[in-house]
Amino acid sequence: MNIGVDIGGTNLRAGIELGGAITRQHKVLLENKDSLSSTLSQLMDLIRPLTKYPVKGIGIGVPSVVNVDKGIVYNVMNIPSWEEVALRDIVQKEFNLPVSINNDVNCFILGEHRYGLAKKYNSVVGMAIGTGLGSGIIIDNNLYSGNNCGAGEIGMLPYRDSILENYVCNRFFEESLGTDAFEAHEAALRGDPHAIEVWKEFGKHLGAVVKTVMYTYDPEAIVFGGSITKASRFFKASMLDSLKDFAYPNSIKHLTLLLSENENIALLGAAALLGK
């Protein structure tokens, strides 16, 4: 049993992996983000009740670049006080347990590979679509983080007048409809024709992401996660249609596209950072 922790810009979540599921889960709203000491105190208070159980270690997913070897996190998204934090050493000192830290989307795809939809695949890419566009990569059954934990940042690649991420995240709906993806989904469900067209356009951009992943990694499967995937009925068809001009159609034929189903998959992946 390991503790899995998911650090987000809004919430902190933690739970214990047991038999491929999360138990004893706790969640708190992250407050006072400009204070390093306050946010660290919240994190310790979240983890502490779980350490009374016979856990072997603590795995933590963070929305940032991570020095995996040293457990240092840099410029954590939406937490301004976390510019450079030696998080592994801080948590190990507090609880006297082994600690492993990685990027949150890496934890997402590791969870899918160990416990979720991607268990049967040797190579798979995970894409988390929400506030931004993040990705994680499994190659030959191993998590690939790159030299600086920055591998797979497909969203940062140039695209049209900007970068891919700006066309495949919540920001796209803010600029296209003046609202967020949640409201855009609600509008589409009501039959709003403009919202439905915007979702179709979103699907075309997501297709460009899929093609980029295929040209760079050619995985067996891609797993999509994040809040925006709940609206898949409105963008799936246009996404698939946009793949028809892919240079290697046989590769697309053999590609499996999956939608994540487990809301705790990132916690499971964080716990899996420490192994069995």
Side-chain angles (χ1 to χ4, degrees), residues 33 43 62 98 100 109 114-115 139 159 174 177 183 196 199 204 216 261 265 274:
K33 299 178 189 179
L43 179 63
V62 186
S100 185
I109 194 55
R114 296 289 175 83
Y115 301 108
I139 299 176
Y159 181 68
E174 292 174 346
L177 287 171
E183 291 297 332
I196 290 171
W199 278 107
K204 295 176 184 178
T216 51
E261 301 171 347
I265 205 69
L274 295 118

Short mmCIF file of all heavy atoms in Angstrom, two decimals, residues 33 43 62 98 100 109 114-115 139 159 174 177 183 196 199 204 216 261 265 274:
data_model
loop_
_atom_site.label_atom_id
_atom_site.label_comp_id
_atom_site.label_asym_id
_atom_site.label_seq_id
_atom_site.Cartn_x
_atom_site.Cartn_y
_atom_site.Cartn_z
N LYS A 33 -2.48 30.56 -1.56
CA LYS A 33 -1.48 30.02 -2.48
C LYS A 33 -0.20 30.85 -2.56
O LYS A 33 0.82 30.36 -3.04
CB LYS A 33 -2.09 29.91 -3.89
CG LYS A 33 -3.29 28.98 -3.97
CD LYS A 33 -3.84 28.99 -5.39
CE LYS A 33 -5.15 28.24 -5.48
NZ LYS A 33 -5.69 28.26 -6.86
N LEU A 43 -0.75 20.57 2.87
CA LEU A 43 -0.38 19.28 2.28
C LEU A 43 -0.05 18.26 3.36
O LEU A 43 -0.50 17.11 3.31
CB LEU A 43 0.82 19.48 1.34
CG LEU A 43 1.35 18.21 0.67
CD1 LEU A 43 0.29 17.59 -0.23
CD2 LEU A 43 2.62 18.53 -0.12
N VAL A 62 2.38 16.43 -9.44
CA VAL A 62 2.39 17.90 -9.35
C VAL A 62 2.30 18.49 -10.76
O VAL A 62 2.98 18.01 -11.67
CB VAL A 62 3.70 18.39 -8.68
CG1 VAL A 62 3.65 19.89 -8.47
CG2 VAL A 62 3.93 17.68 -7.36
N PRO A 98 9.57 6.77 2.28
CA PRO A 98 10.06 7.05 0.92
C PRO A 98 9.05 7.88 0.15
O PRO A 98 7.84 7.66 0.26
CB PRO A 98 10.21 5.66 0.30
CG PRO A 98 10.30 4.72 1.45
CD PRO A 98 9.46 5.32 2.54
N SER A 100 8.23 9.72 -3.77
CA SER A 100 8.56 9.87 -5.19
C SER A 100 7.62 10.90 -5.79
O SER A 100 6.42 10.93 -5.47
CB SER A 100 8.41 8.53 -5.93
OG SER A 100 8.82 8.65 -7.28
N ILE A 109 -1.19 8.87 -16.77
CA ILE A 109 -1.01 7.77 -17.71
C ILE A 109 -0.39 6.55 -17.02
O ILE A 109 -0.69 5.41 -17.40
CB ILE A 109 -0.20 8.20 -18.95
CG1 ILE A 109 -0.33 7.16 -20.06
CG2 ILE A 109 1.25 8.46 -18.59
CD1 ILE A 109 -1.75 6.83 -20.47
N ARG A 114 -1.08 0.98 -15.24
CA ARG A 114 -0.98 -0.02 -14.17
C ARG A 114 -2.34 -0.56 -13.75
O ARG A 114 -2.48 -1.75 -13.44
CB ARG A 114 -0.28 0.59 -12.95
CG ARG A 114 1.15 1.00 -13.21
CD ARG A 114 2.09 -0.19 -13.38
NE ARG A 114 3.42 0.25 -13.74
CZ ARG A 114 4.34 0.67 -12.86
NH1 ARG A 114 4.04 0.71 -11.57
NH2 ARG A 114 5.52 1.05 -13.28
N TYR A 115 -3.35 0.31 -13.73
CA TYR A 115 -4.63 -0.08 -13.13
C TYR A 115 -5.85 0.16 -14.02
O TYR A 115 -6.96 -0.25 -13.66
CB TYR A 115 -4.84 0.70 -11.83
CG TYR A 115 -3.76 0.50 -10.80
CD1 TYR A 115 -2.83 1.50 -10.52
CD2 TYR A 115 -3.67 -0.70 -10.09
CE1 TYR A 115 -1.85 1.31 -9.56
CE2 TYR A 115 -2.69 -0.89 -9.14
CZ TYR A 115 -1.77 0.12 -8.88
OH TYR A 115 -0.80 -0.08 -7.93
N ILE A 139 6.52 4.06 -22.76
CA ILE A 139 7.25 3.40 -23.84
C ILE A 139 7.80 2.08 -23.31
O ILE A 139 8.49 2.06 -22.29
CB ILE A 139 8.39 4.27 -24.38
CG1 ILE A 139 7.84 5.58 -24.96
CG2 ILE A 139 9.20 3.52 -25.44
CD1 ILE A 139 8.92 6.54 -25.42
N TYR A 159 1.31 25.98 -33.63
CA TYR A 159 0.11 25.57 -34.36
C TYR A 159 -0.66 26.81 -34.76
O TYR A 159 -0.98 27.66 -33.92
CB TYR A 159 -0.75 24.66 -33.48
CG TYR A 159 -2.02 24.15 -34.14
CD1 TYR A 159 -1.96 23.24 -35.20
CD2 TYR A 159 -3.27 24.57 -33.69
CE1 TYR A 159 -3.13 22.77 -35.78
CE2 TYR A 159 -4.44 24.10 -34.27
CZ TYR A 159 -4.37 23.20 -35.32
OH TYR A 159 -5.52 22.71 -35.90
N GLU A 174 -13.36 29.97 -24.33
CA GLU A 174 -13.44 31.35 -23.87
C GLU A 174 -13.30 32.32 -25.02
O GLU A 174 -14.00 33.34 -25.08
CB GLU A 174 -12.34 31.60 -22.83
CG GLU A 174 -12.54 30.83 -21.52
CD GLU A 174 -11.37 30.97 -20.58
OE1 GLU A 174 -10.30 31.42 -21.03
OE2 GLU A 174 -11.52 30.60 -19.39
N LEU A 177 -16.53 31.33 -27.68
CA LEU A 177 -17.90 31.52 -27.21
C LEU A 177 -18.04 32.52 -26.07
O LEU A 177 -19.15 32.84 -25.66
CB LEU A 177 -18.46 30.16 -26.73
CG LEU A 177 -18.80 29.13 -27.81
CD1 LEU A 177 -19.12 27.78 -27.16
CD2 LEU A 177 -19.97 29.59 -28.65
N GLU A 183 -19.83 25.46 -19.70
CA GLU A 183 -21.01 26.15 -20.24
C GLU A 183 -21.20 25.84 -21.72
O GLU A 183 -22.33 25.75 -22.21
CB GLU A 183 -20.88 27.65 -20.02
CG GLU A 183 -20.97 28.08 -18.56
CD GLU A 183 -22.33 27.76 -17.94
OE1 GLU A 183 -23.33 27.72 -18.70
OE2 GLU A 183 -22.40 27.54 -16.72
N ILE A 196 -22.52 23.86 -30.86
CA ILE A 196 -22.26 22.57 -31.50
C ILE A 196 -21.19 22.72 -32.57
O ILE A 196 -20.28 21.87 -32.69
CB ILE A 196 -23.56 22.00 -32.09
CG1 ILE A 196 -24.51 21.58 -30.95
CG2 ILE A 196 -23.28 20.80 -33.00
CD1 ILE A 196 -25.90 21.19 -31.40
N TRP A 199 -17.78 23.02 -30.95
CA TRP A 199 -17.28 21.71 -30.51
C TRP A 199 -16.74 20.91 -31.70
O TRP A 199 -15.73 20.19 -31.57
CB TRP A 199 -18.38 20.92 -29.80
CG TRP A 199 -18.54 21.30 -28.36
CD1 TRP A 199 -19.56 22.00 -27.79
CD2 TRP A 199 -17.62 20.99 -27.30
NE1 TRP A 199 -19.33 22.16 -26.44
CE2 TRP A 199 -18.17 21.56 -26.11
CE3 TRP A 199 -16.41 20.32 -27.22
CZ2 TRP A 199 -17.54 21.45 -24.87
CZ3 TRP A 199 -15.76 20.21 -25.99
CH2 TRP A 199 -16.32 20.77 -24.83
N LYS A 204 -11.59 19.07 -34.61
CA LYS A 204 -10.58 19.14 -35.66
C LYS A 204 -9.21 19.47 -35.09
O LYS A 204 -8.20 18.90 -35.50
CB LYS A 204 -10.98 20.19 -36.71
CG LYS A 204 -12.25 19.86 -37.48
CD LYS A 204 -12.61 21.00 -38.43
CE LYS A 204 -13.93 20.72 -39.14
NZ LYS A 204 -14.32 21.85 -40.03
N THR A 216 5.13 11.49 -33.75
CA THR A 216 6.27 11.53 -32.83
C THR A 216 6.48 10.23 -32.04
O THR A 216 7.61 9.80 -31.84
CB THR A 216 6.13 12.69 -31.83
OG1 THR A 216 4.84 12.64 -31.22
CG2 THR A 216 6.31 14.03 -32.52
N GLU A 261 -12.00 6.64 -17.47
CA GLU A 261 -13.26 6.41 -16.75
C GLU A 261 -13.12 6.53 -15.24
O GLU A 261 -14.12 6.63 -14.54
CB GLU A 261 -13.77 4.99 -17.07
CG GLU A 261 -14.03 4.75 -18.56
CD GLU A 261 -14.32 3.30 -18.88
OE1 GLU A 261 -14.09 2.44 -17.99
OE2 GLU A 261 -14.78 3.02 -20.00
N ILE A 265 -7.70 7.99 -11.13
CA ILE A 265 -6.59 7.36 -11.83
C ILE A 265 -5.26 8.08 -11.57
O ILE A 265 -4.21 7.44 -11.51
CB ILE A 265 -6.89 7.25 -13.34
CG1 ILE A 265 -6.09 6.10 -13.95
CG2 ILE A 265 -6.67 8.56 -14.07
CD1 ILE A 265 -6.51 4.74 -13.52
N LEU A 274 6.09 4.54 -6.70
CA LEU A 274 6.98 3.84 -5.79
C LEU A 274 7.08 2.35 -6.07
O LEU A 274 7.80 1.63 -5.37
CB LEU A 274 6.54 4.05 -4.34
CG LEU A 274 6.64 5.50 -3.87
CD1 LEU A 274 5.29 6.03 -3.49
CD2 LEU A 274 7.62 5.65 -2.73
#
